[in-house]
Amino acid sequence: MYRTLFRSLTSSRTKTVIRRYAAAAPAALAALGVAMAAGSTARSPADRTAEAVARVTEGDLSSRGLQALSARMDPAQLALAVRFDAGSPGFAGLGLTPGWESLTLAGRPTLESGTSGLDAHRRNAAMPVQIGSLRPARPFVLTSATPADRARALRCLTQGVYYEAALESAEGQAAVAQVILNRVRDPNYPNTICGVVFEGAERTTGCQFSFTCDGALSRAPVAWAWTRAAAVAERALSGHVATEVGTATHYHADYVHPWWSPTLAKITQIGAHIFYRWKGLAGETGSFRQAYAGREPVIDEARFSRPRLIVAATPAEAAAADALVLAQGGTAMRTVEIDGQTRVVGISSLGGRRQPTAEDIATINARLEALITPAQAPAPVAGVVTMDVEEVGRPAS
């Protein structure tokens, strides 16, 4: 136990000093101490560490000596030793992914959500909660610049709670709200509530919360459930902290198993949602230092109420959907077969962004061609000798 700590204290040079120290007579040790104290050269930290270890272990470098060392530690020191000991169950690994000892880079993660269904339930259950991963989050008290900004912040947070966890318990809804507010303070995310909730919604892929890009906003919320979600959001904006998830910044439903879940520290599961935080320093309380902007962006909900992906069931519906998308400046969807699997490809809509025309594409290609076409060689200058330049390592083709 605590092999990492003990190994650092027992390097080859340190071991030699320990053995010499332990083998010497008490009188000789006292004399050595006086001589070293009176010398003009300061003792190195390694020498002082070796002597301290030797006194505690009496020169025994086995598990008996290690137990003697750990017995002198206070709870904080003991927890730190366990955290950085690769042989202990609570090893934190400096933020490394579990299994880093045998991790290979042969495969790269895809953008797909991962497995789902019964297999996902089994994988999620097999991934244990990381002991000691919970970190406290500071209360968030909304300080909006104007009443309109406050109203927008409350609405965006309510939407996040409602569309993500409408049927969850009060604790489950508060945990989702906590994740959103944690992201507001996380330098990796926008510094507004609406910015966090609608991040990536303007793209066909990459929306952080699926309800902002799957057309869910087009459906009117159920009144009683919306009121309940609004109460949770109001409470979170008044300083309530969901202590069960702390500094969690990620979560997913237990019926899916995202590829990214092993790269984060699993905290707990509340209802159908499993919560995670960043590993290492990024997940510590002090890392959530981003200041809230105070001004919330104005969200065009009508724009985000249209689903980014439209999959029609029949050829007639497909033709009608294509016509609608093309009229809005989008690109029609197509069903193709890739590696034996049927996939829907194309971009149905970019949230109102105009698609380039054929003339636009021709202009862009012409500009690119001008950049990559070699310029005409300059005329020779009198008195200057030109030399050929050989490009080393350039592919032949």
Side-chain angles (χ1 to χ4, degrees):
M1 191 178 182
Y2 319 138
R3 289 192 299 273
T4 302
L5 175 66
F6 196 58
R7 191 181 302 116
S8 65
L9 296 178
T10 55
S11 61
S12 58
R13 179 168 180 263
T14 307
K15 289 178 180 178
T16 302
V17 178
I18 291 175
R19 292 191 179 98
R20 290 177 180 174
Y21 186 93
L29 291 177
L32 178 61
V34 171
M36 294 184 69
S40 58
T41 303
R43 293 188 302 166
S44 66
D47 289 337
R48 293 195 295 270
T49 300
E51 292 183 15
V53 172
R55 281 195 297 270
V56 176
T57 63
E58 298 179 354
D60 187 349
L61 303 183
S62 66
S63 59
R64 175 177 170 273
L66 184 57
Q67 290 175 357
L69 279 176
S70 60
R72 298 172 63 91
M73 298 180 183
D74 59 35
Q77 293 171 326
L78 197 59
L80 189 62
V82 170
R83 183 180 179 190
F84 293 104
D85 175 23
S88 70
F91 176 54
L94 291 174
L96 298 176
T97 301
W100 60 271
E101 305 90 342
S102 59
L103 185 65
T104 67
L105 298 180
R108 292 176 297 178
T110 66
L111 293 178
E112 297 180 359
S113 60
T115 58
S116 60
L118 182 59
D119 186 36
H121 278 287
R122 291 171 177 170
R123 293 194 180 191
N124 291 326
M127 183 184 299
V129 171
Q130 293 199 11
I131 304 300
S133 60
L134 181 62
R135 296 291 185 273
R138 297 191 302 270
F140 185 99
V141 178
L142 185 63
T143 55
S144 299
T146 65
D149 288 310
R150 177 178 178 81
R152 284 194 289 268
L154 178 59
R155 178 170 179 80
C156 287
L157 187 57
T158 301
Q159 288 174 321
V161 173
Y162 176 85
Y163 288 103
E164 293 288 307
L167 300 181
E168 292 294 310
S169 64
E171 292 76 12
Q173 290 190 342
V176 170
Q178 187 66 54
V179 168
I180 296 173
L181 297 182
N182 286 343
R183 288 193 173 194
V184 174
R185 285 176 164 169
D186 189 337
N188 297 295
Y189 297 97
N191 59 355
T192 63
I193 295 172
C194 292
V196 166
V197 171
F198 284 86
E199 182 181 10
E202 72 282 358
R203 302 191 299 266
T204 57
T205 59
C207 51
Q208 296 295 312
F209 295 90
S210 59
F211 75 89
T212 64
C213 60
D214 64 2
L217 289 172
S218 63
R219 298 186 295 271
V222 179
W224 67 265
W226 178 267
T227 301
R228 179 169 175 257
V232 172
E234 183 69 54
R235 187 182 180 201
L237 295 176
S238 300
H240 173 74
V241 175
T243 56
E244 299 89 344
V245 297
T247 58
T249 51
H250 295 71
Y251 67 87
H252 65 80
D254 60 0
Y255 49 81
V256 296
H257 184 77
W259 64 267
W260 48 259
S261 57
T263 68
L264 303 176
K266 181 178 179 180
I267 297 176
T268 187
Q269 178 170 352
I270 302 177
H273 288 145
I274 303 174
F275 295 85
Y276 303 81
R277 74 167 179 87
W278 296 114
K279 290 186 177 181
L281 295 178
E284 299 292 337
T285 305
S287 297
F288 293 80
R289 60 185 182 278
Q290 181 170 251
Y292 172 59
R295 292 190 176 277
E296 293 286 342
V298 178
I299 302 299
D300 184 1
E301 293 189 17
R303 170 187 175 189
F304 296 122
S305 295
R306 298 192 300 270
R308 302 298 97 83
L309 297 177
I310 301 176
V311 181
T314 65
E317 291 175 346
D322 287 349
L324 175 61
V325 169
L326 292 173
Q328 295 175 347
T331 303
M333 304 291 291
R334 290 293 180 267
T335 301
V336 298
E337 186 172 333
I338 302 176
D339 296 333
Q341 296 183 357
T342 301
R343 301 286 182 89
V344 178
V345 298
I347 301 175
S348 65
S349 171
L350 287 178
R353 183 183 301 173
R354 184 180 70 84
Q355 294 294 294
T357 63
E359 292 76 11
D360 294 333
I361 296 175
T363 302
I364 293 172
N365 289 337
R367 292 178 179 176
L368 292 175
E369 187 66 25
L371 290 175
I372 63 177
T373 301
Q376 185 177 3
V381 180
V384 176
V385 178
T386 59
M387 299 180 63
D388 294 333
V389 177
E390 179 184 359
E391 294 188 45
V392 179
R394 181 176 181 177
S397 59

